[in-house]
Amino acid sequence: MKIYNTLTRRKEEFVPLTPGKVKMYVCGPTVYNLIHIGNARPMIVFDTVRRYFEYRGFEVNYVSNFTDVDDKIIKKAIEEGVEASVISGRYIAECKKDMEAMNVRPATTHPLATQEICGMLDMIGTLIEKGHAYAVSDGTVYFSTGSFPEYGKLSHKNQEDLQAGHRLIRVTGDEKRNEYDFVLWKPKKEGEPYWESPWCQGRPGWHIECSVMAKKYLGDEIDIHAGGEDLVFPHHENEIAQSEAANEKPFARYWMHNAFLNIDNKKMSKSAGNFFTVRDISERYDLQVLRFFMLSAHYRSPLNFSDGLMEAAKNGLERIVTCAGRLRELSGNTGAGGCAPGELTSKEKEDWEQAQALAVKYEAAMDDDFNTADAIAAVFELVKLANTTAGPSSTASYVERLREKLTQLCDILGLITEKEEELLDSDVEEMIAKRQQARKERNFALADQIRGELAAKGILLEDTREGVKWKRA
Ligand code: AMP
Ligand code: ZN
């Protein structure tokens, strides 16, 4: 598997630190509002990366934080007259709802910055001890970028610019030693949440959060660190400086960055009026369509969001889901007039080989730096093959193989092809009547089976004196 590494600016073969395991950290959102569709891009992209690693047999430890203390959260809390934790708690819950609707699986761990302050104090203390950080008179602690010769290696900053920055002596009253030094800890302002520290009552800078959470949940060295491309500088550059200076080990082996999502070819911005939350989009589309749309481009290509492209995504996804539904129907219909039982015919064997070749093509695309656009093209070819070769005269096993393959390839992309149909009330009543009949005939095995089928669809039965009552779970 090859991954484009921002650090080396090359595609590199993926070699995990521990064979069979992937330790992956993805910077999560700052939770002061509903997430927007730009935030959804890294969520969907890196969830797909995780799924593909798992398909390839890796065990993935996936950590993604929520930044739950920040100027914007505090501002909103003051506006609403509530604690900052009320704001962050509310938007973490909303974010998790959006993630679920986009079929983004919960991370192995979703740490919260406010719960990790101890680790931050420790790391800042270590950095001061090792001469990589300094406190100034008001208690602010800065990282000393001049103490870390590799500063700039991720963002490939021009060394001359950096040196000029390092030489710059500030006379502005802030006691920063150089231009690029960044905050590790800062004093509280009136009305802000704060924690005790050896330097002042205050709160952490943003960058230290991720270094500490990655260390705690994944270790000093991790395989992959990811996020949107805006994070390369300064956030990820600063994370490298902090982690490597404190731990004295290389931090992440591979740095992955998704390109930005624009709207109608313009940068998304609230003030320009072209800003959509994921929730806005969910009012017009199933969020599976948004997911499909995001994956229809390579993650390192800029992606343009427009009504026309969303309609195209909707139609594309529908073609796949319809094909899967038809295969399901065909393979379930093995009675008279339905698919034949028995082994694959020789023609079907040839067709099945073609299907397998398409799966290989799909894997080759994903192995090449997660090229989901080409992987989706292979899925469409599989759909075409299924539409032209599978029908009522096919064997059930051929149809079933196609269905399984299609479902599997879609599942890696997080695309759901088989939505559980909700039972209508009349269907439930009918099944309950059948169960009652079975009980009357003392066929308890059948009665239990029906109860089980209903339970699997979220229908709970209660036997009362007035008869059977039911409710949806
Ligand atoms: P933030 O809450 O701003 O820190 O963003 C959370 C994640 O969303 C980060 O990985 C950002 O890089 C990413 N992100 C923000 N805006 C966009 C966008 N328009 N397109 C793609 N990714 C974005
Ligand atoms: Zn981060």
Side-chain angles (χ1 to χ4, degrees), residues 224-365:
I224 298 176
H225 196 123
E229 65 183 4
D230 58 322
L231 300 187
V232 174
F233 190 87
H235 186 52
H236 287 166
E237 192 70 64
N238 292 353
E239 277 192 49
I240 292 180
Q242 298 163 152
S243 295
E244 298 193 354
N247 304 329
E248 298 181 38
K249 286 193 192 126
F251 182 28
R253 284 195 169 190
Y254 305 88
W255 287 85
M256 296 180 73
H257 294 99
N258 64 272
F260 254 43
L261 175 91
N262 295 316
I263 301 202
D264 292 325
N265 292 312
K266 286 185 214 89
K267 191 171 187 300
M268 180 161 61
S269 100
K270 263 192 187 154
S271 52
N274 64 347
F275 178 94
F276 297 113
T277 63
V278 168
R279 208 54 68 79
D280 292 334
I281 302 306
S282 75
E283 282 163 18
R284 291 165 51 203
Y285 294 98
D286 183 327
L287 291 180
Q288 282 282 297
V289 176
L290 185 67
R291 181 163 187 131
F292 183 80
F293 162 76
M294 296 272 185
L295 297 177
S296 61
H298 190 275
Y299 75 92
R300 284 188 293 113
S301 306
L303 179 58
N304 189 43
F305 182 94
S306 70
D307 284 349
L309 291 170
M310 279 297 280
E311 282 304 312
K314 184 170 173 235
N315 293 336
L317 183 62
E318 233 163 57
R319 237 168 76 212
I320 298 171
V321 173
T322 306
C323 174
R326 184 172 154 271
L327 292 174
R328 193 163 59 248
E329 232 168 72
L330 282 171
S331 70
N333 183 11
T334 46
C339 282
E343 282 304 297
L344 266 58
T345 65
S346 54
K347 165 78 171 59
E348 284 176 342
K349 278 186 189 146
E350 277 172 29
D351 292 339
W352 176 239
E353 266 172 31
Q354 262 198 58
Q356 282 176 307
L358 290 172
V360 171
K361 205 167 162 182
Y362 173 105
E363 286 175 1

Side-chain angles (χ1 to χ4, degrees), residues 28-40:
T30 306
V31 277
Y32 63 97
N33 211 333
L34 291 173
I35 56 164
H36 59 65
I37 54 175
N39 301 140

